[in-house]
Amino acid sequence: RAEVLATVYRKPGRSLIALAHWPSSAAPKPTGTAPRAARAPIVDGELDEAEWSGAARLTRFHRLGTDETPLAAIEARVTHDGERLYIGFRCEQPGGKPVAATTERDGTVWLDDAIELFIAPTPGERTYYQFVGNARGVFADLKAMDLTWDGSWIYRVHVSDGWWTGEVAVPLPELGIAFADGVEMGLNVGRDRQGGGHELSSWAPVRNSFHDPANFGTLHLVVTGPHSSDPAPGAATDELPVRLQIDWAALGLDPATTMLRAPAIENFQSPAEFAPDDAIPVQRSGGWLLIAEPKG
C-alpha cells in the first residue's frame, strides 16, 4: 500500500520493522454502482426495504471540511429504471423533530433540515444540477446555482421519532443524461442538519462548500450486476490490512521459524503477534513497531 511506509533496522538474528500510515493530502473520491431496479421504487418517502434492497448504498459520509464521521448518521440509496434516477435517504434526527420552515419551491430550504443532491452529467465538469429538499417535502432546484431553472422532480418525505426519510425521482433526460449500460455521472449527497445542532455532512470529499464538482464522487448506472455498498463509518475501514513482502535472506531469518512481535508500548500499541504472511491491521494515521525474531 503506497500510503503505508515501512522502515527496517537490522541486526544479527533480529530486525525491527516500523510501519506507519501516512494519509494522502487528497481524500479519494468515492464511487458507486447502481443496477437497474426490477421494479422502480414508489416515491412516497417511506424508504421501504424491499423496494431498495438492490440499490447502491452510500454510508461513508463525513462532516464538511473534515474527515470526521457526522454526529447524526445519514445513509443514501441509489437505483434507476433507465429513465429516472431514484435516490432515497435516511437521516438520524437526535434532539427532537427536524426544522422545516420553508414552504415555497425555490425558497431557502437549505436553512432547514434538508438533503442536497448534486449531479454532474459528465464527471469532473463544472455543469451540474442541484436539488435541495427539506423535511417538509419542499424543494429548490438549480442548474449551476441558477434558481430560475426547474426540473420535473418527484419528492416525498416521512418524519418519524428520531429519524426522517425521503425519496427523490430524478428525470435523467432533463439533465442531459442518456442511459446506456455503464454510463457514469458525477454525484454528491449532502445534508444540512439544523435541529439538534448545526452540521453539514457530505458523501464526496468536498471541502469548503458542497459546490465543488471537481471532487464529486462517480456513480455508474448498469443494467445488471452487484450493487456497491460503502462500509459503515467506524467499521473495519478504519484499519488497513497490510501484508509485508520481506527479503528474508537479507534479514538472515527463516520465515518458517519467525514471528513478528509487537511489544507493549504505552499510549502507542498493545502487545500482539503476527505470522509472516498475516494481514497486519494498520490504523489510519497510526502504525506498529514489530520485532522479527525466531519463535520461542
Side-chain angles (χ1 to χ4, degrees):
R1 291 181 177 272
E3 70 271 40
V4 178
L5 305 184
T7 306
V8 181
Y9 303 89
R10 297 182 299 172
K11 64 183 298 185
R14 303 176 77 197
S15 291
L16 177 68
I17 301 174
L19 298 179
H21 173 247
W22 291 83
S24 169
S25 58
K29 299 174 187 177
T31 61
T33 300
R36 187 200 298 263
R39 179 179 296 177
I42 298 171
V43 182
D44 56 10
E46 294 282 355
L47 206 64
D48 182 84
E49 186 63 34
E51 295 179 342
W52 292 92
S53 61
R57 299 170 67 101
L58 314 181
T59 59
R60 285 199 62 81
F61 286 77
H62 64 272
R63 300 175 71 182
L64 184 66
T66 77
D67 296 321
E68 299 173 1
T69 301
L71 298 177
I74 173 176
E75 177 181 334
R77 311 279 185 94
V78 186
T79 188
H80 72 97
D81 62 6
E83 289 293 322
R84 291 181 181 270
L85 186 70
Y86 296 88
I87 301 178
F89 58 89
R90 187 173 189 261
C91 297
E92 183 184 23
Q93 190 68 38
K97 293 185 177 180
V99 173
T102 306
T103 59
E104 295 182 358
R105 180 172 179 170
D106 290 341
T108 55
V109 286
W110 49 87
L111 299 180
D112 295 333
D113 278 289
I115 194 78
E116 300 204 27
L117 310 177
F118 297 82
I119 300 173
T122 302
E125 291 197 358
R126 295 199 61 80
T127 297
Y128 62 93
Y129 297 84
Q130 179 186 6
F131 173 93
V132 190
N134 71 6
R136 185 188 287 264
V138 178
F139 66 86
D141 51 348
L142 310 86
K143 180 180 180 180
M145 302 183 74
D146 178 8
L147 267 171
T148 65
W149 181 87
D150 288 331
S152 302
W153 314 80
I154 303 173
Y155 178 53
R156 300 289 186 273
V157 301
H158 176 76
V159 178
S160 58
D161 186 23
W163 295 89
W164 68 284
T165 58
E167 296 172 317
V168 186
V170 182
L172 292 173
E174 289 187 20
L175 276 56
I177 300 172
F179 173 70
D181 192 19
V183 68
E184 62 180 27
M185 65 195 72
L187 176 71
N188 192 25
V189 180
R191 180 191 180 182
D192 306 304
R193 178 183 166 217
Q194 311 294 352
H198 179 69
E199 182 177 57
L200 302 178
S201 49
S202 173
W203 178 62
V206 295
R207 287 292 172 182
N208 298 319
S209 165
F210 288 142
H211 297 270
D212 184 9
N215 285 310
F216 288 175
T218 301
L219 177 69
H220 302 265
L221 303 185
V222 297
V223 175
T224 60
H227 65 273
S228 60
S229 181
D230 292 342
T237 51
D238 289 336
E239 296 178 343
L240 299 170
V242 174
R243 283 186 168 86
L244 301 180
Q245 296 177 321
I246 297 176
D247 183 344
W248 292 102
L251 297 186
L253 292 169
D254 179 358
T257 60
T258 298
M259 288 295 295
L260 303 176
R261 295 188 174 91
I265 302 175
E266 187 176 0
N267 298 323
F268 179 70
Q269 67 184 22
S270 299
E273 288 191 354
F274 304 101
D277 59 351
D278 280 350
I280 300 170
V282 177
Q283 289 283 338
R284 293 184 183 274
S285 301
W288 288 98
L289 285 176
L290 303 172
I291 298 173
E293 59 184 357
K295 298 177 184 178

